[in-house]
């Protein structure tokens, strides 16, 4: 990268020139790579509010304008015109595939949808009332115990094989986690179905009766996967990059992403949001919860609201709201009380000065819970669906990092506020 210019940092009367780099879009960056070596100072940025951890060409977010683009393509166009596996190709390869590239890619994924029979048996080592995310985290990490021929990160062919195995097997692992939690037999993937339809088939079909996938519902699920596929350097993606920087195998890295996504401040918000809407219950209780969300002394936050980057409406939330209406319409439950609560909560919050001052808007998780609940998933499965979709984003970001010749192990430093050196105190003197 060629610097756009420099800025000057003056510390105790001494000046230091720091290069400035310009991105294709978004904020310029000040390169502090040499800061410690030249000044003896660290920067301090807990939560990384002002820190660019890497350069990337995959996803761009303009939080002020509510823009999200995968490889330059607006999410609105991809959600309307593309499908999830085509979007996977775009995120991984950087360009939309032509028909033969798309067919080859889909064949490469479809070929790997089965999980090792021994792995399927290992679900029995977990309690059936385990949270499905606990099962998925376990099974994704376990992939490195079964697929040793795709763990060498220095072998390009193995990296490709691991990527395709992960994208292909996530729905199978997730569906098995759901079936295991409800005591039903696992359903094998049907490679004649598209990605989203196959997932619905593995979750909701039974060996005892015929099951037909509803096209509108599988299209809605496919769109939900597109919306959740990648999102720049969010917490779980940064976790994958950090794990990958130590050269851990790809399955271990992606399982670290699943673990980070689980938190209610991140991917767990969709489950927390539906639980919140159920707790509110009726439209007349909305003001009570708005009041609680405004109260500094109350830890309650409106789940599905606010975002570190979006200080405008999350473009995914708009598309998700439309998808929510489509699904409820298809299932003839458009008068679902919980949707009325969600719409009223959004209406009041967007007029409330507390939310306006803090630029708090609905995010991708706000309507996804209602939609996935209507599709038949229990709230414990919502973050699992998020993990299925985000797997390709984690892989694309991990691949970009591994292929960067300058990449090295990530190792942040700290501001130490602990004790000065002191001598050990023998037990009799404590
Ligand atoms: C995802 O990073 C990503 O890209 C994530 C994601 C992705 O695709 O990967 O987009 C997916 O994780 C979406 C976010 C899902 N999380 C939630 O919906 C949980 C509820 N939201 C909040 O916890 C919060 O908004 C965060 C975690 C999303 C963002 O937190 P920040 O950026 O650290 O903001 P903050 O906590 O400093 O809040 C700023 C102010 C504070 O008030 P003051 O101290 O300034 O008075 O806004 C308030 C907060 O108290 N605030 C909220 C609020 N979110 C922020 N108040 C009430 N309800 C909320 N939801």
């Amino acid at each position: 990268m060629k610097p756009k210019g420099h800025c000057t940092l003056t510390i105790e009367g001494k000046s230091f020139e720091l290069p400035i780099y310009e991105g294709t879009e978004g904020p310029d960056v000040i390169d502090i790579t040499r800061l410690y070596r030249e000044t003896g100072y660290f920067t301090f940025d807990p939560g990384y509010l002002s820190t660019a951890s890497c350069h990337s060409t995959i996803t761009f977010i303009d939080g002020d304008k509510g823009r999200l683009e995968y490889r330059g393509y607006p999410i609105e166009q991809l959600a309307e015109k593309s499908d999830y596996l085509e979007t996977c190709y775009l995120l991984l390869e950087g360009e939309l595939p032509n028909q033969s590239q798309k067919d080859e890619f889909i064949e490469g994924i479809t070929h790997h949808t089965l999980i090792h029979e021994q792995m399927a048996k290992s679900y029995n080592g977990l309690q059936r009332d385990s949270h499905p995310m606990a099962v998925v985290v376990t099974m994704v990490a376990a992939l490195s115990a079964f697929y040793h021929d795709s763990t060498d990160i220095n072998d390009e062919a193995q990296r490709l094989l691991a990527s395709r195995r992960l994208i292909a097997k996530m729905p199978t692992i997730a569906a098995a986690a759901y079936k295991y939690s409800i005591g039903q037999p696992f359903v094998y993937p049907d490679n004649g179905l598209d990605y989203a339809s196959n997932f619905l088939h593995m979750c909701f079909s039974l060996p005892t009766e015929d099951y037909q996938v509803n096209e509108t519902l599988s299209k809605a699920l496919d769109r939900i996967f597109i919306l959740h596929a990648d999102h720049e350097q969010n917490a779980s993606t940064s976790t994958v990059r950090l794990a990958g920087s130590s050269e851990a195998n790809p399955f271990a890295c992606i399982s670290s992403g699943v673990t980070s996504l689980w938190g209610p401040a991140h991917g767990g918000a969709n489950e927390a949001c539906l639980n919140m809407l159920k707790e509110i219950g009726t439209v007349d209780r909305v003001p009570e919860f708005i009041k609680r969300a405004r109260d500094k002394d109350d830890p309650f936050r409106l789940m599905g609201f606010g975002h570190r980057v979006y200080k405008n409406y999350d473009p995914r939330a708009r598309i998700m709201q439309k998808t929510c209406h489509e699904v409820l319409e298809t299932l003839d439950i458009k008068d679902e009380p919980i949707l009325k609560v969600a719409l009223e909560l959004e209406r009041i919050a967007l007029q409330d000065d507390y939310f306006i001052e803090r630029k708090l808007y609905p995010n991708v998780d706000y309507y996804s819970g209602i939609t996935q609940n209507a599709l038949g998933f229990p709230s414990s499965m919502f973050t699992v669906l998020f993990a299925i979709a985000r797997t390709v984003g984690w892989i694309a970001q991990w691949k970009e990092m591994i292929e960067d010749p300058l990449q090295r192990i990530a190792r942040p430093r700290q501001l130490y506020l602990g004790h000065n050196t002191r001598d050990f105190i023998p037990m009799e003197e404590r």
Side-chain angles (χ1 to χ4, degrees):
M1 289 190 296
K2 194 169 168 309
K4 164 187 177 183
H6 291 78
C7 67
T8 304
L9 178 65
T10 303
I11 301 176
E12 292 153 11
K14 200 166 170 226
S15 295
F16 302 90
E17 293 275 291
L18 297 173
I20 291 176
Y21 296 111
E22 182 180 33
T24 316
E25 286 207 58
D28 294 348
V29 298
I30 299 170
D31 180 348
I32 57 166
T33 317
R34 304 177 59 81
L35 182 76
Y36 177 57
R37 199 175 309 154
E38 292 179 8
T39 69
Y41 280 75
F42 295 144
T43 57
F44 184 64
D45 186 16
Y48 306 121
L49 286 119
S50 304
T51 295
S53 61
C54 62
H55 55 73
S56 179
T57 62
I58 299 171
T59 293
F60 177 69
I61 303 170
D62 181 330
D64 293 330
K65 297 197 180 77
R67 283 173 54 207
L68 167 59
E69 296 174 359
Y70 295 161
R71 301 288 190 179
Y73 293 100
I75 192 68
E76 295 83 355
Q77 293 185 31
L78 292 170
E80 189 193 329
K81 298 172 181 169
S82 188
D83 60 60
Y84 179 69
L85 283 185
E86 182 175 75
T87 302
C88 287
Y89 184 98
L90 172 67
L91 287 167
L92 291 167
E93 304 301 334
E95 298 297 338
L96 289 168
N98 61 33
Q99 194 57 57
S100 64
Q101 288 166 332
K102 182 170 180 176
D103 295 345
E104 189 282 329
F105 181 74
I106 291 174
E107 163 59 25
I109 299 296
T110 309
H111 187 70
H112 290 287
T113 49
L114 277 173
I115 57 174
H116 193 292
E117 279 296 301
Q118 202 55 41
M119 190 169 166
K121 288 186 174 55
S122 58
Y123 279 69
N124 293 324
L126 301 170
Q127 292 189 188
R128 285 198 185 266
D129 62 353
S130 308
H131 192 291
M133 279 297 281
V135 177
V136 171
V137 167
T138 305
M139 293 304 156
V140 173
L143 288 169
S144 39
F146 286 92
Y147 298 97
H148 311 110
D149 59 342
S150 56
T151 52
D152 178 357
I153 60 122
N154 297 305
D155 177 334
E156 187 180 359
Q158 291 201 29
R159 293 202 302 268
L160 177 66
L161 182 54
S163 304
R164 290 189 166 180
R165 278 173 164 158
L166 279 158
I167 295 168
K169 296 180 192 305
M170 278 302 273
T172 312
I173 288 170
Y178 172 58
K179 285 298 201 185
Y180 187 67
S181 73
I182 58 175
Q184 287 185 2
F186 294 179
V187 173
Y188 284 107
D190 174 349
N191 289 345
L193 296 172
D194 64 65
Y195 196 82
S197 300
N198 200 10
F199 180 62
L200 291 171
H201 156 73
M202 290 189 284
C203 287
F204 299 126
S205 73
L206 288 165
T208 49
E209 52 202 55
D210 186 35
Y211 173 80
Q212 289 303 318
V213 174
N214 177 307
E215 287 306 304
T216 308
L217 300 186
S218 69
K219 179 80 189 121
L221 182 59
D222 191 84
R223 191 184 307 147
I224 290 171
F225 287 155
I226 292 174
L227 296 179
H228 289 80
D230 192 49
H231 213 241
E232 198 215 74
Q233 307 311 318
N234 58 83
S236 54
T237 298
S238 300
T239 302
V240 170
R241 277 180 173 261
L242 201 68
S245 74
S246 75
E247 301 184 13
N249 77 67
F251 304 119
C253 296
I254 300 306
S255 73
S256 74
V258 182
T259 308
S260 170
L261 186 75
W262 194 357
H266 188 16
N270 48 22
E271 177 179 2
C273 181
L274 188 77
N275 295 339
M276 173 193 73
L277 293 172
K278 284 179 178 169
E279 188 188 351
I280 297 172
T282 53
V283 166
D284 61 329
R285 291 194 65 203
V286 165
E288 170 196 337
F289 284 82
I290 294 277
K291 187 163 175 284
R292 283 188 57 195
R294 295 171 52 107
D295 181 355
K296 298 299 295 165
D297 299 324
D298 188 334
F300 173 78
R301 283 189 164 186
L302 286 192
M303 291 289 109
F305 252 81
H307 199 277
R308 170 63 55 79
V309 177
Y310 289 121
K311 301 310 173 192
N312 198 326
Y313 215 101
D314 182 334
R316 301 168 298 175
R318 281 194 207 291
I319 302 167
M320 185 59 75
Q321 188 187 62
K322 181 171 158 285
T323 304
C324 184
H325 283 295
E326 275 173 24
V327 166
L328 297 186
E329 194 85 29
T330 304
L331 296 168
D332 196 21
I333 49 175
K334 56 188 178 307
D335 299 329
E336 177 78 4
I338 211 162
L339 180 62
K340 287 193 170 63
V341 172
L343 290 168
E344 180 64 1
L345 178 62
E346 177 188 354
R347 186 186 67 79
I348 297 180
L350 294 184
Q351 295 169 0
D352 184 287
D353 58 4
Y354 172 92
F355 293 87
I356 294 168
E357 277 160 28
R358 291 166 181 78
K359 298 185 177 180
L360 302 174
Y361 291 85
N363 58 49
V364 68
D365 294 302
Y366 191 66
Y367 287 100
S368 65
I370 305 169
T371 312
Q372 292 172 75
N373 182 53
L375 288 172
F377 295 101
S379 58
S380 59
M381 281 292 290
F382 293 174
T383 311
V384 171
L385 270 66
F386 196 150
I388 293 172
R390 187 55 58 88
T391 292
V392 68
W394 290 329
I395 292 169
Q397 301 272 351
W398 168 80
K399 179 175 177 285
E400 183 176 62
M401 177 199 66
I402 291 287
E403 291 171 354
D404 179 351
L406 299 177
Q407 89 88 12
R408 55 172 64 176
I409 191 165
R411 207 276 186 218
R413 301 303 300 273
Q414 64 180 7
L415 172 65
Y416 177 67
L417 297 176
H419 286 283
N420 293 107
T421 308
R422 52 182 176 162
D423 292 328
F424 184 78
I425 303 168
M427 181 59 79
E428 60 275 12
E429 294 174 22
R430 289 180 204 161

